[in-house]
Amino acid sequence: MLIVSGIPVSSGVAIGKAYILAHALNEVEPYLISEQNILNEIKRFNQAIKQLKSELLNLKKELKKNRMNEFGSFIDIQLAIINDPKISKNPLGIIKKSKQNAEWALKVQMEEIITKFNSIENSYIRERKNDVYQVCETLIKYLIGHESKQLSNDKNRIIVAHDISPADALKFKNSNNIAFVTDIGGTTSHTAILAKSINIPSVVGTQNAKNLISNGDNLIVDGDHGCVIINPTDEVINEYRLKQNLYELESKKLLNLQKLTSKTIDKVPVNLYVNIEDTNNIESVILNNTKGVGLFRTEFIFMDKHRMLDENEQFIIYKNLTKALPNKTITIRTLDSGGDKVIEHMPNTNQNPALGLRAIRFCLAEPDVFITQIKALLRAAHYGDIRILIPMLSSDNELRQVKLLIQRAKDILTSERKKFNPKTLVGGMIEVPAAAIDAESFANQLDFLSIGTNDLIQYTLAVDRTDDAVSHLYDSSHPALLKLIKGVIDAGTKAGIEVSLCGEMAGDPKLTKLLIGLGLTNFSMHPSSLLKVKKVILESEFSKVKSKAKKILNTHDKIEIENLINNLNN
Ligand code: PEP
Ligand code: MG
């Protein structure tokens, strides 16, 4: 038995079998094949193609069965690549001619295709190379014997990887995968956020767990304490089964709070909203008696489809949300690509993605992309309470450009005689320190504000949110951050507009009383945190937490702040 520790990012306990995601491409070596074995090598290659095809078709059927059709297009792209003779036939010629092994022939062919892709001007087509890369990597895994089991039939798989991109995390959104463990990654990386949204226990930043764990090892993932136990003894397994039962019992008990109105003991209403990354599993918005969706991260619908969606496609998605969530406010954030959220056909700054052409900066550089989305949103807002949220604003000038483009979208819709809501509310995310410091100006020009603490912490403390090496510095109770949050809440209150908080802090019950004490009355979080936070709200007394929060706001020492927060919570 071995215990590896990391950063807990999604709570709960999972007990299952390790499923290692290998970097198979790095392991391919060439070797010579004798004349009489060439036919065998060809057979091996054809067998791998057949296996991947049948596994993808099975996966597609299963997704359909589980009503996860939206992932079907991803599989269709992979099937089209396998059926292309450049992948399924050309390597056979290389095997015959060079008398080298099948995996090497495939790698040579893949590199040739990728070189050609790199010189294509159309960025959408150019980025399809990632799909080619993925298909070849899977085939190579079969050929070198990494992955002989059915992709979809193993139950209780714990995915262990060096890293999982948000796009990969979407692929593993399958009930057979019960936990994620990654060697790198920070607390609020988007992969961590997705794990939380899928609601499976996850630990990141384990440094070298991947090297210590073998495929099929028994694992326990403790998503609350950030530890991974490799090949635990029966005694430890029993102990964790007990913990699992307690966790489930606790979750069931919390269900009693679902219908209750969210307010403090002294009757201050505290609105709860939900963060979503897709339009599935939105029933929690209604079941938990929330005010609606506080943050829909729309970039994930584009990541899912591996392309931009046109105005009508987007309109239908947003309009369907209004139908599914009648009488709820639905806050839809415009595209926030970039940073660690790479959408395949869109440019991403390599030098320093978090400080690059992210979010609204990208949209202002590509106004057609922005206007298309705004038109779809304005049209959908005709059917329900949709409001638009602009990510990563940092200056007045940017806000002016945003407003001009929104006006242009309205003018086009008018000339196209399409129905839309001209009074759709427009809010801004406060996640750049400049915007937090100048919050009054933003509050005076927008209909609502939403504090994105995941990025606000990253930018205020100069700590990469995805980097485990500095995760100990990623501090959600840093005095500078608390002052910024307080300033934004006060600016919103003064301007008479709603201020919500939609970063991961909103879902951390340890911080609920502190945030209420700072004056926050709108929280947006993942469904899995809603009832835990609601429980704390129901136990809070605004007048008391307010004075304690004031004291915390005037404290600078980290340990002292921690003690004061503990005291506030007890
Ligand atoms: C944030 O930065 O707090 C936020 C909610 O946005 P995202 O996590 O998508 O960057
Ligand atoms: Mg953000």
Side-chain angles (χ1 to χ4, degrees), residues 206-478:
T206 47
Q207 309 289 338
N208 67 344
K210 187 169 163 256
N211 290 334
L212 297 169
I213 298 171
S214 307
N215 245 338
D217 272 353
N218 288 324
L219 293 185
I220 294 176
V221 176
D222 182 338
D224 291 294
H225 300 99
C227 68
V228 181
I229 307 173
I230 308 167
N231 292 325
T233 60
D234 287 347
E235 220 177 343
V236 173
I237 294 185
N238 288 339
E239 200 181 304
Y240 269 91
R241 289 219 188 282
L242 212 67
K243 276 193 190 180
Q244 247 178 344
N245 291 343
L246 280 176
Y247 189 82
E248 275 162 27
L249 215 69
E250 207 53 48
S251 308
K252 276 200 190 126
K253 248 173 45 196
L254 283 173
L255 290 179
N256 292 330
L257 307 182
Q258 275 189 317
K259 290 277 161 276
L260 298 185
T261 304
S262 171
K263 56 175 189 267
T264 62
I265 295 173
D266 42 352
K267 307 228 166 5
V268 176
V270 179
N271 298 317
L272 294 178
Y273 290 96
V274 179
N275 290 354
I276 60 172
E277 278 79 39
D278 58 30
T279 53
N280 300 316
N281 309 321
I282 47 171
E283 56 284 358
S284 63
V285 176
I286 296 174
L287 287 177
N288 294 301
N289 193 15
T290 69
K291 232 189 145 194
V293 173
L295 171 67
F296 177 10
R297 293 180 162 98
T298 56
E299 53 280 3
F300 285 94
I301 54 174
F302 305 126
M303 277 163 87
D304 240 12
K305 298 268 190 246
H306 300 258
R307 63 181 174 84
M308 267 322 277
L309 306 190
D310 68 26
E311 181 190 318
N312 262 330
E313 286 174 303
Q314 290 190 56
F315 165 63
I316 288 165
I317 293 174
Y318 307 145
K319 182 181 162 195
N320 284 346
L321 262 182
T322 64
K323 274 201 218 148
L325 300 173
N327 308 318
K328 298 284 178 194
T329 298
I330 304 165
T331 316
I332 305 188
R333 182 173 74 182
T334 57
L335 182 68
D336 181 4
S337 67
D340 62 337
K341 287 176 288 194
V342 181
I343 300 177
E344 283 165 23
H345 57 290
M346 294 201 179
N348 197 21
T349 329
N350 289 327
Q351 291 87 332
N352 202 338
L355 301 180
L357 202 60
R358 260 193 76 178
I360 194 59
R361 301 169 178 189
F362 170 77
C363 285
L364 292 178
E366 299 277 345
D368 288 347
V369 170
F370 188 61
I371 288 181
T372 301
Q373 186 169 28
I374 294 291
K375 282 175 73 190
L377 288 168
L378 291 169
R379 285 173 63 196
H382 175 75
Y383 298 89
D385 183 12
I386 282 185
R387 47 185 199 176
I388 299 173
L389 180 60
I390 309 292
M392 224 185 148
L393 286 166
S394 63
S395 73
D396 228 51
N397 185 34
E398 258 170 3
L399 181 54
R400 230 184 338 268
Q401 290 180 59
V402 164
K403 288 198 164 180
L404 281 175
L405 290 179
I406 293 177
Q407 188 52 50
R408 192 179 310 160
K410 287 180 183 171
D411 294 344
I412 301 173
L413 286 173
T414 308
S415 68
E416 290 173 344
R417 293 171 188 270
K418 287 178 180 159
K419 279 191 220 154
F420 69 98
N421 178 1
K423 296 210 164 78
T424 308
L425 300 185
V426 178
M429 286 203 61
I430 303 296
E431 45 187 351
V432 175
I437 293 166
D438 208 13
E440 269 199 35
S441 164
F442 288 94
N444 288 333
Q445 299 178 68
L446 286 158
D447 299 312
F448 64 98
L449 299 179
S450 185
I451 311 176
T453 45
N454 302 338
D455 278 315
L456 190 59
I457 299 171
Q458 153 164 276
Y459 297 128
T460 304
L461 305 181
V463 176
D464 183 342
R465 63 192 269 193
T466 67
D467 186 353
D468 52 286
V470 284
S471 64
H472 59 292
L473 300 173
Y474 191 92
D475 180 4
S476 47
S477 49
H478 192 288

Side-chain angles (χ1 to χ4, degrees), residues 35 69 90 98 118 223 270 406 511 522 557:
E35 195 72 50
N69 282 343
N90 289 12
S98 69
N118 282 339
V270 179
I406 293 177
L511 299 173
N522 298 283
D557 179 70

